[in-house]
Amino acid sequence: MAANSRAALVTGANKGIGLEIVRQLSPKFQGTVYLTARDVGRGQEAEKKLQGDGLKNVKFLQMDVNDKKSIEKARDFIKEKHGGLDVLINNAGILKFVPATGPGLPAIDRSFEAVKDTIATNVTGVLDVCNAFFPILRDHARIVNVSSELGSLAYLKNEEVKKLLTKGDLTVKEVEQAAADYIKISEKGNAGIDLGYPEQFGPYGMSKILLNAVSRVQQRDLDQDKTRTDLVVNSCTPGYVATDLNNNSGHRTVQQGADTPVYLATLPPSSGGKPVEPRGEYVDERKVVNWLAGDGWVQM
Ligand SMILES: NC(=O)c1ccc[n+]([C@@H]2O[C@H](COP(=O)([O-])OP(=O)(O)OC[C@H]3O[C@@H](n4cnc5c(N)ncnc54)[C@H](OP(=O)(O)O)[C@@H]3O)[C@@H](O)[C@H]2O)c1
């Protein structure tokens, strides 16, 4: 394989929306699409399934977004094999419920453990992957952070935190600090609801709010790096999709859910001095949502 051959990578891709993202991206991408998964067995099985369907450019690579060593190992492998990365889709995510006691969706787990785990995977995990892979992104790379409509600012009633997360000069460090503060506050239990942190889907919603906030910062930071050309970051929602994440209660299919992430991952190179759009936005069904204004929320 040529050291400069193209590569795309999707996290948490052994099932659900991530698997379907790989399926849809594969025929559209001229290069290797890395289906990453934390579990080797589940990852290899998914690879086999897609290769069996004729998607020969799909390859499995082990990566647990909670394990920095595995992230760095995957990064080193891509660097060695391909010389850089062209598409990064941060899809891996968790939503924690308390154990089910009857039919329907169980209650959201708002325990301290659930807050820690959710932030670790949905926020810190994404940032660790970005820290490892951003330095090897090639010009015209596309980055997609798979978020949620539950990451709308409409769910955050704490005005101080809202002001912080929407300010124009927000930094990645400040988002990390906001995540750490949220964990600290959650030590008392109830995931900070009394302080205006999200009530519906609690820790999950807060993790996606932080992810939407940091995606905007990432775009600004990459734009300021004049050694790099045409790197585009967007966050998006797949919509409410029937997967294991929600006990298959969603009303959309994985095919519908994967459409916007794949659309954003395959945005064409900017040309004629005009940057491609959307960039640094939050996107739902291929349309930009005014996240700063608190749009994009859903009636529950
Ligand atoms: N489904 C929806 O309605 C919906 C709505 C809005 C946003 N989303 C977002 O869409 C993304 C995909 O969700 P989904 O619905 O497809 O959920 P899913 O079916 O539960 O799949 C989640 C994937 O993430 C992986 N994962 C979890 N923790 C990981 C870790 N530490 N390292 C690597 N992979 C890890 C899982 O691997 P294992 O199989 O090993 O657990 C699985 O492959 C998530 O970010 C989710 O928040 C989903």
Side-chain angles (χ1 to χ4, degrees):
M1 194 173 295
N4 60 357
S5 57
R6 282 164 57 78
L9 185 148
V10 186
T11 68
N14 54 289
K15 67 176 182 178
I17 297 163
L19 179 67
E20 182 60 25
I21 288 173
V22 174
R23 189 189 285 282
Q24 291 185 18
L25 184 60
S26 157
K28 294 185 172 144
F29 186 76
Q30 292 203 331
T32 308
V33 181
Y34 285 97
L35 176 164
T36 72
R38 58 179 160 183
D39 182 86
V40 174
R42 291 196 285 273
Q44 284 175 340
E45 202 177 307
E47 175 194 55
K48 203 168 142 201
K49 195 187 314 178
L50 294 190
Q51 286 194 351
D53 290 343
L55 305 176
K56 301 294 183 204
N57 62 340
V58 172
K59 298 262 182 293
F60 164 65
L61 191 57
Q62 195 273 339
M63 192 164 91
D64 180 337
V65 304
N66 291 333
D67 174 4
K68 273 194 194 177
K69 279 212 175 87
S70 79
I71 297 172
E72 283 160 12
K73 198 171 162 204
R75 187 266 324 275
D76 291 348
F77 173 86
I78 299 277
K79 194 173 174 206
E80 164 90 19
K81 274 254 180 247
H82 299 273
L85 186 68
D86 301 284
V87 169
L88 171 62
I89 305 185
N90 287 304
N91 165 78
I94 58 167
L95 165 55
K96 296 200 128 186
F97 295 103
V98 297
T101 51
L105 264 192
I108 291 297
D109 188 347
R110 295 195 173 83
S111 66
F112 179 50
E113 285 307 313
V115 171
K116 273 197 302 185
D117 292 352
T118 307
I119 295 295
T121 300
N122 298 3
V123 183
T124 314
V126 174
L127 292 176
D128 286 346
V129 170
C130 291
N131 282 341
F133 283 94
F134 275 18
I136 68 158
L137 289 176
R138 264 193 282 264
D139 287 351
H140 312 291
R142 303 290 176 249
I143 304 105
V144 184
N145 293 330
V146 180
S147 185
S148 165
E149 57 270 50
L150 296 165
S152 166
L153 279 174
Y155 297 108
L156 180 62
K157 308 292 181 204
N158 184 312
E159 292 303 324
E160 204 182 316
V161 178
K162 201 189 281 186
K163 198 169 157 202
L164 172 84
L165 295 179
T166 52
K167 69 184 183 133
D169 58 352
L170 179 69
T171 63
V172 174
K173 274 214 159 5
E174 285 174 321
V175 176
E176 284 170 337
Q177 187 56 52
D181 291 346
Y182 177 55
I183 292 173
K184 183 87 190 127
I185 279 159
S186 303
E187 266 175 18
K188 293 188 213 116
N190 222 21
I193 292 174
D194 46 331
L195 295 172
Y197 285 94
E199 186 167 355
Q200 280 169 323
F201 289 87
Y204 179 79
M206 191 58 203
S207 74
K208 298 299 190 179
I209 288 171
L210 291 164
L211 184 58
N212 284 336
V214 86
S215 302
R216 303 173 59 80
V217 179
Q218 289 176 325
Q219 181 67 70
R220 199 195 59 217
D221 288 352
L222 289 170
D223 284 345
Q224 281 168 2
D225 181 350
K226 297 302 172 203
T227 65
R228 327 201 64 180
T229 304
D230 190 27
L231 301 187
V232 176
V233 186
N234 286 290
S235 64
C236 68
T237 177
Y240 188 27
V241 176
T243 66
D244 289 349
L245 185 97
N246 50 33
N247 293 344
N248 289 290
S249 64
H251 53 75
R252 305 190 83 213
T253 62
V254 285
Q255 288 79 9
Q256 291 170 318
D259 178 75
T260 295
V262 172
Y263 156 71
L264 293 171
T266 53
L267 286 172
S270 298
S271 65
K274 197 174 173 291
V276 71
E277 288 181 349
R279 53 192 294 118
E281 299 284 1
Y282 167 66
V283 181
D284 183 4
E285 294 203 62
R286 298 192 180 202
K287 290 192 190 70
V288 171
V289 173
N290 190 348
W291 182 78
L292 286 176
D295 292 353
W297 63 284
V298 282
Q299 188 89 48
M300 290 284 170

